[in-house]
Amino acid sequence: MSRTVYCQYLNKEAEGLDFQLYPGELGQKIYESISKEAWAEWQKKQTMLINEKRLNLMDPKSREFLEEQMKAFLFEGKDIEIEGYTPPSK
């Protein structure tokens, strides 16, 4: 049976994550208030950021930058700008 959360990103009830995917207090906040759908959207953006900005995840500054972008995307409703990326037209 899946759990339901009120997703802060989607602003609606949605299926919650199966387990805490990120460490610490921020990870707990994500687990309690971010849905699977919203997390999947973040993962797409995160992959694009890592690739386009050539981030090295062994570098603490790169990890800090990604965490800031994650908080802005999931909790502040900010869209992540990816340099050189044009979304496909529908």
Side-chain angles (χ1 to χ4, degrees):
M1 182 174 203
S2 64
R3 52 187 281 282
T4 303
V5 298
Y6 182 81
C7 180
Q8 285 189 336
Y9 178 77
L10 300 174
N11 290 319
K12 67 177 186 178
E13 294 285 326
E15 184 178 356
L17 297 167
D18 294 327
F19 51 89
Q20 186 173 327
L21 297 169
Y22 200 82
E25 287 181 32
L26 178 57
Q28 187 63 32
K29 183 177 179 182
I30 291 168
Y31 178 73
E32 292 172 354
S33 58
I34 297 296
S35 67
K36 282 185 178 180
E37 180 183 349
W39 186 255
E41 286 297 314
W42 162 246
Q43 287 184 307
K44 290 178 198 172
K45 294 284 187 176
Q46 175 181 255
T47 301
M48 293 170 70
L49 278 171
I50 291 167
N51 290 335
E52 292 300 319
K53 296 198 176 282
R54 294 183 171 93
L55 298 177
N56 175 1
L57 298 181
M58 296 298 290
D59 177 21
K61 288 183 181 179
S62 292
R63 290 195 311 267
E64 184 179 317
F65 170 78
L66 261 183
E67 186 173 289
E68 289 169 7
Q69 296 297 308
M70 178 177 63
K71 286 190 247 182
F73 182 78
L74 293 174
F75 299 108
E76 298 169 18
K78 295 182 180 171
D79 195 23
I80 305 299
E81 294 290 325
I82 311 289
E83 294 169 24
Y85 175 73
T86 305
S89 56
K90 294 182 179 183

